[in-house]
Amino acid sequence: MLGFSMCITLFGPSNDFRSGVSTWVGLDKQLSIGRVVGFSYEDPTVSGAGKPVTVILDKDPQTGAAIDPPQRFYVYTAGTKFSPGVNHTELLGPGVEELSLQKGKIDQADISRGAVFTVSKGEFNGEEIDYVENVTATRGWDPQRTLTAAGDENSRYVGKGKTIFISEGCWWCHTLLPEQTQDWQMFGAPPFLGDFNGEMPTAFGSDRKAPDLLHVAARNSSREWMEMHFFNPRLVQPNSIMPRYDYLWGKVDAEGNTIDYAKWRKEYTAYLNGESVYAPEVPKPAANSEVRALVDWILTTLK
Amino acid sequence: MLKYLFAKNDEIPAGSATIFFGFSSIFWFVVGTGLGSFNAAKLAFPDFVTGTEMFAFGHMRQVHVLAVIVGWISMAFGMTMMYMTPALGNTKLWSEKLGLWTVFLWNIGLSLGLILLWLGFTSGREYSDLIWPIDLVVICGVLVPLGLNVWLTIAHRKTQGIYITNWFFGACIFMVIVVFTVGTAPELFSLSGLTEAYLTFWFAHNVLGLWITPVAAAIAYYTIPKLTGNPLYSHRVGHLHFWAIIAFYSTPASHHLMSAPLPEWLKSFASVEGVLILIPAVAFVTNILLTMKGKWSMFVENVETKFSITGVMLAIPLNMQGGFQQTRAINWYVHGTGWIVAHAHLALLGMSSFLEAAAVYFGLQQMLRRKLYSLTLANLHYWFFLIGFCIYWISMTIAGLIQGAGKIYEVPYIDVVVAEHPYMIARWVGGTMVFTGNVVWLYNMWMTAREGTLVPRGSYPHEMAYDR
């Protein structure tokens, strides 16, 4: 009896999951996040090592031709493990798998050389669908040169950001799954079947002590607001019970100056006591700081 | 303890494993509820201890959850298995030495896992947050040896039948090994997407349904007849409970994911099975309460009975809530709110913890052959535990209803946070009371081991508790 009941609920659903066709959201998520978020060989300290970088390009780094509108590319430098869909193409779902292999040539991607991927539009059985394209194979892009061409301002450390979201336990309070109720009107539409293909962990969360975040960047896309909110949530929302994440800034700010947390707190206390009119300025995060990655992930993926 | 790890099995006094399991479980209960109280303080007063990653809520919450589930509850189960299984089979524990090794590895593995979680090494999956190397330690170093000991003790029994408690013990260890392995599978095999989410919640629910609540119920099947001297009201109803759990309780996991794009048939299946949980629940509660016939005065006089019956009575609201809140009609209102937090604490801190506390009180006195050091302190523990739990449960239920209303009527979230603030403070007060009670308990048990009156062979410590 136990076996029967367990089999229904373990093997039954897997057939339904397998038929799910990757949506654009699903492809974008898994390519920008990389292989695994959480504990793994590549990143034992769960600090976001070995993740791909998402870049937004309006110019072809190889030929210089314009890309209009600007498009996202996912750069896997040499040695970075590929996302699940590239290694296990059946995860992409029927149609997407065929196009990604035939037109996208994702089977030619080589870890030792690295690769650049993008999500392209193609036609399958008369329907327009998104598929994964291995740009290194189809257009000859070199990962390192693509990164250089994009520069830091167009780079998004999405995979590392999601790792920070997991290891800091943000999802203990913020779900990533709007309920199928009037919740939709507050937090946006619920996800589709193919939105999660290749993502791990999904981190839906079961307890909501704070707003749902699945579409948060669609409601608020201000990087400055996000930084203030992470440094001390009570700077922008006096009644918030969110913890302060000032430690994600690390030791130095964007200019390389040491951040004096003691001084900041003293000035903040003075502001709370009414001794000064303005709260102290929040330091600009450095490009390699954890908060930069976290904000990149939120603004790039949670739309 | 260390000297016994390499001693010959015959040289180890019977009951050693029970005693070490018992004290470890109380220790982890103190740690777990202490962390719970600390976390609750952070939710009520967000600027309480800030500026360091180590004490951030996101790091501490999972440590609290796993310290309680793996430390307190599961170790109390280990303890009860170490003394109930041989007692019910009229035999010795198969290997006292293996039992000691189990408790030793358990403490080491759990401490390591919790420290790693604390530092941020997490698998990122709710309730199976431990990283997979630690998961393997739990399966190979803890669950399988524990199972071997219990199964072989049952196999070497000197009685004819197998009492209902041992049915549960033997089956639940087997099931928890399956559940734990399946729950770890996404990490071991890089399963991703909805499969991963579903297996995570399959684990998260089944660890409750196939391990925590049935084993706690099995404990009551032993303690209540033992304490009252009444035979179990009905073995048949006990077997109905057992087989109904096996049939209905193994799967209702997808109700946690009602909003996810899971197949609709699966959600309906989960809802129907969830309501069918009422069958084992009613069987269990009636069976135990009818066993109390003629001995209800013990509910007032005897501290172990007091704990046990409180636990059994808390199973009534627990299963009523659990059965119905996963139907779609109710789930849409309460899902993801403080109501669920209250419900989870009703299962773990309410029903099962009260039952285990009774078993740990009883087993430690029995194995140490010492009378409880102080009955007053035990009663103090009971009332702190019960009142603290009730404050927690009621305040979180109300907070959950407020949150549900906010969700349905599209109230801006921050207004819900403001409205919940008083209940968050109440939650912290309740949690702190439970923690205080547990510190008292640890002291009481420690003093029992050192200074409690020795109990002569042939009488039970709890019978002597009222001798003046």
Side-chain angles (χ1 to χ4, degrees):
Chain A
M1 248 198 283
L2 177 71
F4 178 68
S5 198
M6 280 191 177
C7 284
I8 290 181
T9 51
L10 274 180
F11 298 112
S14 60
N15 293 318
D16 288 273
F17 297 152
R18 209 170 298 149
S19 64
V21 176
S22 290
T23 57
W24 183 85
V25 174
L27 294 175
D28 175 62
K29 264 203 232 168
Q30 63 158 298
L31 288 170
S32 55
I33 287 166
R35 195 178 81 86
V36 172
V37 172
F39 182 80
S40 67
Y41 285 130
E42 301 94 79
D43 182 17
T45 54
V46 205
S47 59
K51 295 285 165 213
V53 179
T54 306
V55 297
I56 299 156
L57 288 179
D58 55 3
K59 226 166 58 184
D60 188 323
Q62 224 67 19
T63 61
I67 301 171
D68 188 42
Q71 204 180 339
R72 290 189 197 185
F73 296 90
Y74 312 94
V75 184
Y76 288 68
T77 47
T80 307
K81 292 261 175 73
F82 294 138
S83 71
V86 175
N87 292 328
H88 306 280
T89 46
E90 70 276 14
L91 279 179
L92 299 171
V96 185
E97 181 183 2
E98 284 81 350
L99 277 187
S100 302
L101 287 171
Q102 290 152 17
K103 289 178 73 181
K105 299 185 182 171
I106 56 172
D107 51 339
Q108 293 177 23
D110 178 5
I111 288 187
S112 59
R113 281 182 52 229
V116 181
F117 297 99
T118 192
V119 179
S120 302
K121 293 230 175 287
E123 208 183 275
F124 186 78
N125 288 348
E127 258 180 74
E128 195 185 56
I129 54 170
D130 299 303
Y131 69 94
V132 183
E133 182 186 343
N134 175 10
V135 192
T136 308
T138 55
R139 305 181 212 171
W141 290 21
D142 176 60
Q144 207 55 52
R145 280 179 61 190
T146 310
L147 271 187
T148 318
D152 183 57
E153 68 276 12
N154 290 325
S155 302
R156 303 281 179 268
Y157 304 102
V158 177
K160 188 180 174 191
K162 180 159 185 198
T163 311
I164 306 296
F165 185 84
I166 299 294
S167 66
E168 291 306 316
C170 305
W171 56 292
W172 294 121
C173 301
H174 297 280
T175 54
L176 291 178
L177 190 67
E179 309 265 321
Q180 295 190 346
T181 59
Q182 287 92 325
D183 224 23
W184 295 357
Q185 292 162 37
M186 288 287 280
F187 296 129
F192 293 106
L193 179 57
D195 284 2
F196 303 105
N197 284 9
E199 196 186 355
M200 179 197 169
T202 38
F204 289 145
S206 66
D207 176 16
R208 193 190 275 180
K209 300 181 194 72
D212 186 274
L213 292 187
L214 189 67
H215 303 295
V216 67
R219 304 195 290 275
N220 183 352
S221 60
S222 160
R223 194 172 276 271
E224 284 69 29
W225 189 95
M226 292 286 168
E227 285 168 7
M228 282 172 85
H229 190 245
F230 279 122
F231 201 81
N232 186 338
R234 273 141 319 269
L235 283 174
V236 287
Q237 179 46 265
N239 293 312
S240 172
I241 58 165
M242 183 166 135
R244 301 178 190 179
Y245 286 100
D246 43 6
Y247 56 81
L248 294 181
W249 264 250
K251 289 199 167 56
V252 293
D253 65 6
E255 274 92 50
N257 305 318
T258 312
I259 303 174
D260 190 348
Y261 290 101
K263 179 164 165 273
W264 197 94
R265 281 170 177 238
K266 220 172 112 200
E267 285 176 22
Y268 178 66
T269 314
Y271 160 73
L272 285 183
N273 294 337
E275 290 157 23
S276 87
V277 181
Y278 298 108
E281 285 279 316
V282 169
K284 268 265 114 330
N288 61 354
S289 67
E290 291 178 326
V291 71
R292 158 79 193 269
L294 188 52
V295 175
D296 276 355
W297 179 64
I298 293 169
L299 295 183
T300 310
T301 311
L302 300 182
K303 281 189 173 167
Chain B
M1 175 187 175
L2 291 174
K3 70 178 177 188
Y4 288 138
L5 287 180
F6 298 103
K8 283 209 182 80
N9 197 28
D10 301 336
E11 291 164 8
I12 304 171
S16 304
T18 312
I19 293 169
F20 286 111
F21 258 117
F23 276 101
S24 304
S25 71
I26 305 175
F27 167 76
W28 285 112
F29 201 13
V30 171
V31 171
T33 48
L35 287 168
S37 164
F38 178 80
N39 291 345
K42 284 181 147 292
L43 289 174
F45 314 106
D47 285 329
F48 173 71
V49 191
T50 52
T52 160
E53 193 172 5
M54 302 286 272
F55 297 108
F57 180 81
H59 286 245
M60 297 301 274
R61 182 197 132 141
Q62 46 198 337
V63 184
H64 157 68
V65 169
L66 287 163
V68 172
I69 294 181
V70 186
W72 154 240
I73 291 179
S74 300
M75 278 188 132
F77 286 166
M79 186 251 188
T80 54
M81 287 168 185
M82 293 291 132
Y83 79 88
M84 286 179 187
T85 314
L88 289 168
N90 201 8
T91 179
K92 284 194 308 188
L93 188 65
W94 180 67
S95 168
E96 202 71 47
K97 192 172 168 179
L98 184 65
L100 283 172
W101 271 102
T102 313
V103 63
F104 178 70
L105 283 178
W106 200 323
N107 277 312
I108 303 247
L110 181 61
S111 310
L112 197 66
L114 292 188
I115 289 170
L116 289 175
L117 279 183
W118 190 22
L119 296 173
F121 294 72
T122 168
S123 74
R125 291 180 302 110
E126 202 162 359
Y127 302 118
S128 50
D129 317 74
L130 292 171
I131 57 177
W132 61 262
I134 302 288
D135 283 334
L136 292 182
V137 172
V138 173
I139 295 169
C140 304
V142 172
L143 296 177
V144 171
L146 183 72
L148 273 181
N149 228 342
V150 169
W151 296 327
L152 288 168
T153 307
I154 295 175
H156 288 132
R157 72 189 183 281
K158 300 208 175 70
T159 51
Q160 222 179 6
I162 300 177
Y163 184 65
I164 186 77
T165 301
N166 278 350
W167 269 104
F168 270 104
F169 283 172
C172 287
I173 297 181
F174 170 71
M175 294 191 290
V176 81
I177 293 172
V178 173
V179 169
F180 213 93
T181 314
V182 171
T184 315
E187 253 193 298
L188 293 174
F189 305 109
S190 293
L191 301 176
S192 60
L194 276 176
T195 315
E196 182 267 345
Y198 179 62
L199 288 189
T200 299
F201 279 94
W202 195 85
F203 169 82
H205 196 91
N206 284 5
V207 80
L208 266 156
L210 296 181
W211 175 241
I212 295 174
T213 46
V215 180
I219 290 172
Y221 280 123
Y222 176 86
T223 45
I224 292 297
K226 190 83 181 171
L227 290 164
T228 57
N230 285 349
L232 184 65
Y233 173 72
S234 164
H235 282 83
R236 250 175 225 217
V237 176
H239 277 270
L240 174 70
H241 174 198
F242 179 82
W243 289 108
I245 283 213
I246 298 290
F248 303 140
Y249 217 154
S250 55
T251 48
S254 53
H255 66 258
H256 289 274
L257 296 170
M258 283 288 190
S259 301
L262 290 178
E264 290 297 316
W265 68 264
L266 188 63
K267 296 179 192 172
S268 304
F269 187 85
S271 287
V272 172
E273 280 217 325
V275 178
L276 288 172
I277 286 172
L278 286 171
I279 295 172
V282 172
F284 165 63
V285 173
T286 49
N287 208 356
I288 297 293
L289 294 187
L290 286 168
T291 306
M292 284 294 286
K293 201 157 70 176
K295 294 288 170 65
W296 276 99
S297 58
M298 288 187 80
F299 181 40
V300 184
E301 291 162 0
N302 180 288
V303 71
E304 291 91 9
T305 315
K306 202 184 271 187
F307 270 102
S308 285
I309 293 299
T310 310
V312 174
M313 285 182 167
L314 286 174
I316 302 170
L318 169 70
N319 292 301
M320 288 290 165
Q321 276 190 349
F324 290 112
Q325 75 190 15
Q326 58 180 301
T327 58
R328 289 171 199 240
I330 299 177
N331 187 280
W332 73 289
Y333 197 87
V334 297
H335 186 253
T337 67
W339 172 288
I340 304 300
V341 181
H343 175 73
H345 281 79
L346 178 58
L348 298 183
L349 184 62
M351 180 221 172
S352 84
S353 284
F354 273 95
L355 286 166
E356 289 139 26
V360 173
Y361 264 114
F362 180 69
L364 276 182
Q365 291 180 64
Q366 195 87 323
M367 287 302 151
L368 293 165
R369 306 250 16 119
R370 279 173 190 276
K371 207 173 104 175
L372 199 60
Y373 171 69
S374 164
L375 199 60
T376 318
L377 287 183
N379 276 315
L380 194 71
H381 174 214
Y382 175 79
W383 287 110
F384 261 72
F385 195 172
L386 184 65
I387 296 172
F389 163 72
C390 288
I391 294 175
Y392 188 102
W393 181 41
I394 294 167
S395 66
M396 285 318 289
T397 302
I398 299 173
L401 292 174
I402 293 174
Q403 226 178 318
K407 180 169 84 179
I408 301 308
Y409 298 110
E410 297 172 38
V411 177
Y413 202 90
I414 194 65
D415 295 344
V416 176
V417 173
V418 174
E420 276 183 323
H421 184 61
Y423 303 99
M424 289 292 173
I425 296 175
R427 165 194 209 161
W428 169 65
V429 171
T432 309
M433 279 185 77
V434 174
F435 169 61
T436 316
N438 289 336
V439 174
V440 171
W441 188 24
L442 186 58
Y443 171 77
N444 196 7
M445 276 344 244
W446 183 251
M447 292 306 280
T448 303
R450 287 171 63 104
E451 294 182 10
T453 315
L454 279 169
V455 177
R457 294 256 157 223
S459 59
Y460 290 119
H462 76 274
E463 292 170 353
M464 285 188 57
Y466 307 97
D467 292 349
R468 300 287 172 206

